[in-house]
Amino acid sequence: MAPILLNCMGNDHNEYIKQLVQVKNPYLDTMEEDILYHFSLGTKTHNLPEMFGDIKFVCVGGSSNRMKAFAQFIHQELEMPGNPEEVSDICEATDRYCMYKVGPVLSMSHGMGVPSISIMLHELIKLLHHAQCRDVVLFRLGTSGGVGLAPGTVVVTDKAVDYSFLAQFEQVVLGKVVTRSTELDEEVANELLQCSSELQNFPTVIGNTLCTHDFYEGQGRLDGALCSFSHEDKLEYLRKAYEAGVRNIEMESSVFAAMCRICGLKAAVVCVALLDRFEGDQITSSHDVLVEYQQRPQVLVSHFIKKRLGRAV
């Protein structure tokens, strides 16, 4: 915490502390320096409050190119000064993740799958904590396979569920399984749905998201190098998923929801469905159509951000 806060008294001080991004690790306070290795940042080498203290929105997605494009897009949407083509990668000293700051918005890549996004989230949450950020909303923007939805439909996640359709994330810690809730912020989800009705550019639904540890067998695909089940087995599982409220499948939402929830961060997962998994396993839409689909979560979250900042038309 900033030293000046120690002199504050009363409810205002308590409320300020409450709004700051929290970490759940008592050992961090005893460390002389915290090196955010995969970002190539650190508490001694960088002035994190000065660099990131005004961040209010963090948008993360799997692809580095997509998150650079989002940074350029939000730069134009917020009418920031300078050339959006010249946004610079704060993490350019490492090739693990990319990071772009556009005013109060941070745009970052997280790679593919739970392990990759988990590493990024640990360091991101510590970064926001060290920077003394307050009232931050996190978004995961992505693509997914739809379950009973037309391609191009945007899904705002209600709960991220596991293979048994339970709203939980299991993390093995010191050989023991720790189970954490994966419910996301209802207020943010409803606000996003309201934003989608104002845009009216594409269908948007709120539904559960099935998070798997694999793109092929884990998602019931028949086109991987391995397949030990029948087409009928696949359809039966998808039907059970649909009945459990699942509307899309991806590979990062569970740990994203769990870590944000336990650290008191408001968060949302916004993914576009590239296909209906009842209809097939491979993506067959043209490149141009897919590019437009992938922009839909960005457009929706951009509208949300502009409304929160009082800049929506």
Side-chain angles (χ1 to χ4, degrees):
M1 302 298 176
I4 190 172
L5 293 181
L6 299 178
N7 298 321
C8 297
M9 300 294 290
N11 293 332
D12 290 344
H13 168 62
N14 293 334
E15 185 61 26
Y16 188 93
I17 297 297
K18 184 179 178 182
Q19 292 173 350
L20 289 168
V21 173
Q22 304 295 315
V23 290
K24 302 296 181 179
N25 180 359
Y27 294 100
L28 284 182
D29 289 338
T30 68
M31 294 168 54
E32 184 178 341
E33 178 182 11
D34 189 6
I35 299 171
L36 308 178
Y37 173 74
H38 299 89
F39 295 172
S40 194
L41 295 170
T43 54
K44 273 194 170 181
T45 54
H46 299 81
N47 187 334
L48 299 181
E50 183 178 281
M51 293 174 67
F52 301 103
D54 62 338
I55 291 295
K56 295 296 182 185
F57 309 96
V58 180
C59 302
V60 303
S63 162
S64 295
N65 288 339
R66 194 182 306 152
M67 297 321 291
K68 181 178 182 179
F70 176 73
Q72 294 169 337
F73 174 66
I74 199 70
H75 189 288
Q76 294 174 315
E77 291 293 293
L78 297 182
E79 299 179 344
M80 301 294 292
N83 185 350
E85 299 297 320
E86 296 176 358
V87 294
S88 59
D89 182 4
I90 298 170
C91 295
E92 62 182 355
T94 174
D95 61 358
R96 295 297 184 186
Y97 306 104
C98 71
M99 177 191 294
Y100 302 93
K101 184 179 183 298
V102 180
V105 181
L106 201 62
S107 177
M108 293 193 61
S109 67
H110 58 60
M112 191 180 296
V114 162
S116 183
I117 192 174
S118 172
I119 295 166
M120 187 279 293
L121 285 169
H122 274 280
E123 297 188 17
L124 170 63
I125 292 170
K126 291 198 297 176
L127 171 66
L128 298 173
H129 172 72
H130 292 313
Q132 301 168 19
C133 296
R134 295 188 299 154
D135 304 321
V136 183
V137 183
L138 271 65
F139 301 93
R140 174 175 130 64
L141 313 177
T143 57
S144 62
V147 180
L149 296 178
T153 303
V154 172
V155 180
V156 177
T157 303
D158 180 19
K159 294 182 287 288
V161 300
D162 65 9
Y163 60 92
S164 297
F165 315 131
L166 298 176
Q168 63 182 30
F169 173 69
E170 295 182 341
Q171 174 72 55
V172 178
V173 180
L174 300 181
K176 298 178 181 179
V177 176
V178 176
T179 303
R180 293 166 176 159
S181 172
T182 55
E183 292 189 23
L184 287 149
D185 190 89
E186 184 178 358
E187 178 187 354
V188 173
N190 288 331
E191 194 171 337
L192 284 163
L193 193 64
Q194 174 60 33
C195 287
S196 72
S197 69
E198 295 165 5
L199 291 170
Q200 297 181 336
N201 292 337
F202 39 80
T204 303
V205 300
I206 292 179
N208 293 344
T209 295
L210 172 59
C211 183
T212 69
H213 295 289
D214 167 57
F215 184 79
Y216 286 97
E217 286 186 294
Q219 296 190 13
R221 279 187 160 83
L222 304 173
D223 60 345
L226 305 175
C227 186
S228 58
F229 48 87
S230 68
H231 182 253
E232 290 72 25
D233 293 335
K234 166 198 162 179
L235 292 180
E236 182 182 0
Y237 185 70
L238 290 179
R239 280 193 291 269
K240 288 180 179 178
Y242 189 87
E243 290 168 3
V246 171
R247 293 297 176 267
N248 64 335
I249 308 174
E250 46 86 273
M251 297 185 291
E252 293 87 18
S253 59
S254 61
V255 70
F256 177 82
M259 289 185 67
C260 289
R261 181 178 177 84
I262 202 168
C263 290
L265 286 162
K266 292 189 174 185
V269 177
V270 185
C271 291
V272 66
L274 298 183
L275 75 165
D276 182 356
R277 289 296 315 289
F278 279 114
E279 302 298 327
D281 295 330
Q282 296 203 336
I283 298 168
T284 57
S285 298
S286 70
H287 173 74
D288 290 344
V289 169
L290 291 176
V291 168
E292 193 275 322
Y293 284 171
Q294 291 172 18
Q295 291 171 344
R296 291 181 176 187
Q298 299 184 15
V299 171
L300 179 55
V301 170
S302 169
H303 186 63
F304 178 102
I305 291 172
K306 287 193 294 182
K307 281 189 68 177
R308 281 284 183 102
L309 295 175
R311 301 189 190 181
V313 177

